[in-house]
Every structure is written in C-alpha cells, then in structure tokens.
Amino acid sequence: MNRDAQTSLSEWQDRPGRKPLVLRGARQVGKTYLVQHWGAEHFESVMTVDLERERDLHSLFSQQDPQRMLAELGLLRGRSVTPGKTLLF
C-alpha cells in the first residue's frame, strides 16, 4: 500500500542536515506500520524503541552526547546503530 506519507518520509530522508522527525496522527491509523515498512525499504536496518514500554531507556535518551547514546543503545540491543544506515524509530 503506497501512501502520500511515504513521499513525505522520503523527502525528509533526502534533506541535508535533517533533524528528528515527529509523526503525529490519530490512534490506530497505521503510523507505526508506515514507518517500519518505509524504513525497511530505505535503510539497511530499523531499530524500534518504545519508551512507554522500555522505561529503563529513559535515562539513555536524556544524555547530552548523541554518539554515546547511540553506542550504548547498540550495546543494549546487540547491534550497532549506523548513521545513515539505521533508522532509529
């Protein structure tokens, strides 16, 4: 299923110096499916982090050093987070 939102995600991906993306919408309309499906097509890997279910990761995301945060997340998940190749969702 192709959606207009996939085009918006691709435009975001192509922006130089892109920043984190906030995806908003009603509940139960397919936001997670959209990102995971699109991410699988456009990145080598997709790493999903659910901060509601994984509360122990809150302190990890409050760090001031993003490189260290990505390294620690990779260690916790058993696979590395590679900028430009891993979509962190």
Side-chain angles (χ1 to χ4, degrees), residues 65-76:
D65 182 0
Q67 297 301 325
R68 182 174 175 185
M69 185 268 302
L70 292 176
E72 289 182 21
L73 183 61
L75 287 172
L76 289 170

Side-chain angles (χ1 to χ4, degrees), residues 6 9 14-15 18 22 43-44 47 53 59 62 74 85 87:
Q6 288 178 320
L9 290 173
D14 294 337
R15 283 187 208 134
R18 68 178 177 261
V22 176
F43 288 84
E44 289 182 15
M47 183 181 293
R53 292 189 176 131
S59 61
S62 66
K85 295 183 180 187
L87 175 62

Side-chain angles (χ1 to χ4, degrees), residues 5-6 11 21 26 31 48 59 62-63 65-67 82 85 89:
Q6 288 178 320
E11 290 170 357
L21 179 68
K31 295 180 299 292
T48 301
S59 61
S62 66
Q63 292 185 36
D65 182 0
Q67 297 301 325
T82 307
K85 295 183 180 187
F89 172 58

Side-chain angles (χ1 to χ4, degrees), residues 6-89:
Q6 288 178 320
T7 302
S8 296
L9 290 173
S10 294
E11 290 170 357
W12 166 81
Q13 180 186 18
D14 294 337
R15 283 187 208 134
R18 68 178 177 261
K19 296 192 178 188
L21 179 68
V22 176
L23 190 62
R24 294 183 180 179
R27 292 176 42 112
Q28 303 291 316
V29 295
K31 295 180 299 292
T32 298
Y33 172 83
L34 169 71
V35 172
Q36 290 178 337
H37 179 74
W38 174 84
E41 291 181 354
H42 292 86
F43 288 84
E44 289 182 15
S45 66
V46 177
M47 183 181 293
T48 301
V49 177
D50 185 340
L51 293 173
E52 287 187 10
R53 292 189 176 131
E54 300 173 274
R55 295 191 183 275
D56 55 326
L57 295 179
H58 285 201
S59 61
L60 181 66
F61 280 83
S62 66
Q63 292 185 36
Q64 297 297 314
D65 182 0
Q67 297 301 325
R68 182 174 175 185
M69 185 268 302
L70 292 176
E72 289 182 21
L73 183 61
L75 287 172
L76 289 170
R77 291 296 170 96
R79 58 188 175 122
S80 64
V81 179
T82 307
K85 295 183 180 187
T86 304
L87 175 62
L88 180 58
F89 172 58

